Amino acid sequence: MVKYSQHQLDLAFGALAHPIRRGILARLSTGEASVAELAKPFKVSAPAITKHMKILEEAGLLSRKKLGRVHRCRLEERRMKQAQEWLAEHRKFWNDKLDALERYLKENP
Amino acid sequence: MVKYSQHQLDLAFGALAHPIRRGILARLSTGEASVAELAKPFKVSAPAITKHMKILEEAGLLSRKKLGRVHRCRLEERRMKQAQEWLAEHRKFWNDKLDALERYLKENP
DNA sequence: ACTATACTTAACCATCTGGTTAAGTATAAA
DNA sequence: TTTATACTTAACCAGATGGTTAAGTATAGT
């Protein structure tokens, strides 16, 4: 069952594969922000942030509009949800296994 | 709140960012398999599969033991769960937004 | 008009990814 | 013992990632 474009999932998971980009997404999950605000916690150059933004944007996880010279950024929840759902599709199996694993670990500490 | 090594998450999400590797994981979620069995659905060379296996293994998503000349592969549920949980940590926010989005889309088709 | 701010683009570099073919190792089967 | 099977390693290549510095564009403030 292929619900979403494999390529979109590639881009979404690839975008999640870097701590700066996950940090940006985490920050955005609490509300919109400018590029400068998103960049603040990280000690890399501005162009490095621009590149991360581009990867997030091309993955469809983030969108923005320019207000004056400030770029107002927001999460794109739909694409984010698709990544979540790929994992969720398999969660039943994994959870079955995890339940067994956790029982085992409880009984064999 | 950083529950897991950022680096481990990098590797896990990076490993999820390729359709062949997601296919391998999906197959493994239904039970153990040999490398040849995992490779079967994909029309790439054996060394290409070896590399995908290595990426999955280094991400901690997959383990194996050698029985004779066959490598028996299985999912590593714990690491898989860590990736799931990073998303889950943010799901509350996202779901709030998604709920709002879906209400909006229902009312503004 | 000038200067500072917010951000991007260009050019460069090292490393990783994702594929190939050819060759190698270890086990099983004949 | 010879051969086939299961898989890996080596060597190569193209393209993407992730960082840098230097320079550019557009808007805002003085």
Side-chain angles (χ1 to χ4, degrees):
Chain A
M1 180 200 356
V2 177
K3 271 186 185 163
Y4 308 115
S5 148
Q6 290 292 333
H7 185 59
Q8 285 178 1
L9 280 174
D10 296 351
L11 294 177
F13 282 123
L16 287 165
H18 194 288
I20 288 183
R21 291 193 296 261
R22 286 196 304 279
I24 287 172
L25 293 175
R27 166 67 184 80
L28 284 179
S29 74
T30 70
E32 301 190 355
S34 70
V35 173
E37 285 163 357
L38 293 171
K40 204 157 209 174
F42 309 108
K43 37 188 183 333
V44 293
S45 64
I49 295 294
T50 294
K51 287 186 185 180
H52 287 302
M53 299 298 291
K54 196 174 181 186
I55 288 170
L56 287 167
E57 217 171 353
E58 283 172 356
L61 296 174
L62 178 154
S63 65
R64 54 177 137 181
K65 58 181 163 187
K66 216 182 148 185
L67 300 177
R69 57 188 168 178
V70 173
H71 295 221
R72 204 78 202 147
C73 307
R74 63 186 304 277
L75 266 191
E76 272 304 314
E77 295 86 6
R78 271 170 287 204
R79 189 60 51 81
M80 194 69 81
K81 200 181 186 188
Q82 294 178 0
Q84 280 180 248
E85 286 183 351
W86 188 87
L87 289 170
E89 257 180 43
H90 299 272
R91 197 164 57 188
K92 194 181 82 56
F93 300 104
W94 292 339
N95 280 356
D96 290 350
K97 288 169 177 293
L98 279 167
D99 288 349
L101 176 70
E102 275 157 9
R103 265 198 311 282
Y104 172 83
L105 290 176
K106 192 165 284 178
E107 288 158 15
N108 304 268
Chain B
M1 175 196 5
V2 179
K3 271 188 184 164
Y4 309 114
S5 147
Q6 291 291 334
H7 185 59
Q8 285 178 359
L9 281 174
D10 296 352
L11 295 177
F13 282 122
L16 287 164
H18 194 287
I20 289 184
R21 292 192 295 261
R22 285 196 303 279
I24 288 172
L25 293 175
R27 166 67 185 78
L28 283 179
S29 74
T30 71
E32 301 190 356
S34 69
V35 173
E37 286 162 358
L38 294 172
K40 204 158 209 173
F42 310 107
K43 38 190 182 333
V44 293
S45 64
I49 295 293
T50 295
K51 287 185 186 180
H52 287 303
M53 298 298 291
K54 197 174 179 185
I55 288 170
L56 287 167
E57 218 172 351
E58 283 172 355
L61 296 174
L62 177 155
S63 65
R64 54 177 137 181
K65 57 182 165 188
K66 216 181 148 188
L67 301 176
R69 57 187 168 178
V70 174
H71 295 220
R72 205 78 202 146
C73 307
R74 63 187 305 276
L75 266 191
E76 273 303 316
E77 295 87 5
R78 270 171 288 203
R79 189 59 52 81
M80 194 69 81
K81 201 180 185 188
Q82 294 178 0
Q84 282 180 247
E85 286 183 351
W86 187 89
L87 289 171
E89 257 180 43
H90 299 272
R91 198 164 57 188
K92 194 182 81 57
F93 300 103
W94 293 338
N95 279 357
D96 290 350
K97 288 170 177 293
L98 278 167
D99 288 348
L101 176 70
E102 275 157 10
R103 263 198 311 282
Y104 173 83
L105 290 177
K106 192 164 286 177
E107 288 156 16
N108 305 269

